[in-house]
Structures are given as structure tokens and as C-alpha cells.
Amino acid sequence: DTAVSQTPKYLVTQMGNDKSIKCEQNLGHDTMYWYKQDSKKFLKIMFSYNNKELIINETVPNRFSPKSPDKAHLNLHINSLELGDSAVYFCASSQEEGQGENSGNTIYFGEGSWLTVV
Amino acid sequence: AQKVTQAQTEISVVEKEDVTLDCVYETRDTTYYLFWYKQPPSGELVFLIRRNSFDEQNEISGRYSWNFQKSTSSFNFTITASQVVDSAVYFCALSEAQGSGAGSYQLTFGKGTKLSVIP
């Protein structure tokens, strides 16, 4: 029943490893995102995809590579993990709603994936 | 450039007290959206409300109410008769379209206000 689900929820790994976080949404939304929350709880966008097409890439290192096999999935692969990559990664999705003054774009988040690099 | 400021880093209240969380935003766009999200200790981000820039009506949902004032660029959140379950970090966020087309919206978050409700 979970609208935006991501796995794994917790991930502990060593520096230099490669890891992936998977995300799926069953809301029928066209747009998906990855956000990063650092140790100070600051949230910042990393990527957005619309219908499998990359729309936003916020100066994220090349070690981070999102992949969207279809519009319901947006996976995040991270190569050569570094200590500074430790964070909570949130997947999210949204859909344009309404028109004109009634338009909007509500972003719904998954439960987060806690990545710890040791 | 867009910016969201939540000046209150932490607030503690005793249960049943009312509490207001402040949010001030900056944007050059005339069309934008304002949000509040709740992050309880379990860590998920829960959507609470979205307000379009065209709609300055205040909103009430149960014990929650929101006051949107474009004149002061503020979107404050009040919890009436607070409960222990309200303890969480609350984020205010602003969305503008970065370009045209779907997928170009992104949320700019404030740094969050940690609310502790003491029984």
C-alpha cells in the first residue's frame, strides 16, 4: 500500500564500495526525485526525472547515477562510496495537478534510506 | 534565487499549549507553492499542506492551521493544544518552476524546526 517505497531502509557499507537504492511509486506520477538529507537535517534535491527523462541534476558528483527504467521507478546507484556520502536519501514523486491558479505539484516522499559509509 | 528561513531551530512546549512555527520565504517568481512537511523521530517525511501563491486564504485542519501572508512573505504554522505525538522536525519548503515543463519543480527547504512537546 505504500505510495513511494524505497529499499533498503538501512545500509552500512565500506568506503570504495558500490551500492544501489531502489525506489518505486504506485501513485501513477510522471515525475520522480532523489533528495539528500545530511547530518544537520538539511534537505536538498539531487535529481528529478519526468517520464524517464532527466530534468534536474543539481551538481551531484558523477559517482551518483540515477536510472529510471520506467516512470514508476527511479533507482540511485553510487560508485566508490566516500565517508561524506553518509546521509539519508529520500525518493519522492509528484504529478502536475489542475490548471492556472488551481495548479500545483505536491511532492510525496518515501520513508528514506539511511546510508552509512564506514 | 529562492530561499526559505525557519528562524526557530528548536522549540519546547508543554502539552496542550499552542505553538507557532515561523517560515519566511524569498522568491522572484509570481507563481510558487509553499509546503509544510513533518519528520517524526521515525524519519519519514509526511506532507501536511501545499499553498499556491494565488491563494492567501488561511487554512485549518483539525488542530493545525496555516497563515499565509504575501505582504510579509510568511507562511506560519500553528498547532493548537499540542500533543506529544506532534513532536517532530517541521520543514517549510518553497517550490518554483526551474524551467518549463513537468519535472522542473524542485523544493527548497528551510533548515527545519524541531518541536518537542513535553507531557
Side-chain angles (χ1 to χ4, degrees), chain B residues 38-112:
Chain B
K38 174 182 180 180
Q39 188 173 38
S42 49
E44 69 271 26
L45 279 166
V46 179
F47 165 75
L48 296 178
I49 188 171
R50 183 193 82 211
R51 181 55 87 219
N52 296 1
S53 54
F54 301 111
D55 183 2
E56 277 195 83
Q57 285 188 0
N58 292 330
E59 180 150 342
I60 298 175
S61 176
R63 297 183 297 106
Y64 295 171
S65 62
W66 291 269
N67 183 300
F68 175 27
Q69 293 199 342
K70 290 177 77 170
S71 60
T72 55
S73 296
S74 65
F75 186 43
N76 296 338
F77 173 28
T78 297
I79 302 175
T80 303
S82 60
Q83 300 176 2
V84 172
V85 292
D86 297 327
S87 297
V89 179
Y90 290 87
F91 291 95
C92 181
L94 167 70
S95 173
E96 302 170 337
Q98 297 304 300
S100 60
S104 60
Y105 292 94
Q106 64 170 281
L107 286 172
T108 296
F109 282 88
K111 292 186 177 180

Side-chain angles (χ1 to χ4, degrees), chain A residues 31 33 35 37 41 43 45 48 50 55-56 58 90 96-97 101-107 109 114, chain B residues 33 35 37 39 42-45 47 50 52 54 89 91 98 102-107 109-111:
Chain A
T31 305
Y33 311 79
Y35 279 78
Q37 185 174 43
K41 295 244 178 223
L43 280 151
I45 191 168
S48 78
N50 181 259
I55 302 297
I56 295 174
E58 280 291 310
F90 284 96
E96 286 281 323
E97 303 163 1
E101 291 188 359
N102 295 320
S103 67
N105 188 311
T106 298
I107 300 178
F109 288 85
W114 272 251
Chain B
Y33 307 95
F35 300 79
Y37 287 87
Q39 188 173 38
S42 49
E44 69 271 26
L45 279 166
F47 165 75
R50 183 193 82 211
N52 296 1
F54 301 111
V89 179
F91 291 95
Q98 297 304 300
S104 60
Y105 292 94
Q106 64 170 281
L107 286 172
F109 282 88
K111 292 186 177 180

Side-chain angles (χ1 to χ4, degrees), chain A residues 3 27 37 39-40 42-43 47 52 61 66 75 79 85 88 106:
Chain A
L27 296 167
Q37 185 174 43
S39 58
K40 295 184 179 180
F42 186 60
L43 280 151
F47 303 101
K52 303 191 296 177
N75 303 324
N79 289 327
D85 297 332
V88 184
T106 298

Side-chain angles (χ1 to χ4, degrees), chain B residues 13-30:
Chain B
V13 298
V14 177
E15 202 171 19
K16 298 186 183 177
E17 286 185 349
D18 299 347
V19 58
T20 295
L21 310 182
D22 298 333
C23 174
V24 174
Y25 62 93
E26 295 177 27
T27 177
R28 295 181 200 161
D29 276 13
T30 55

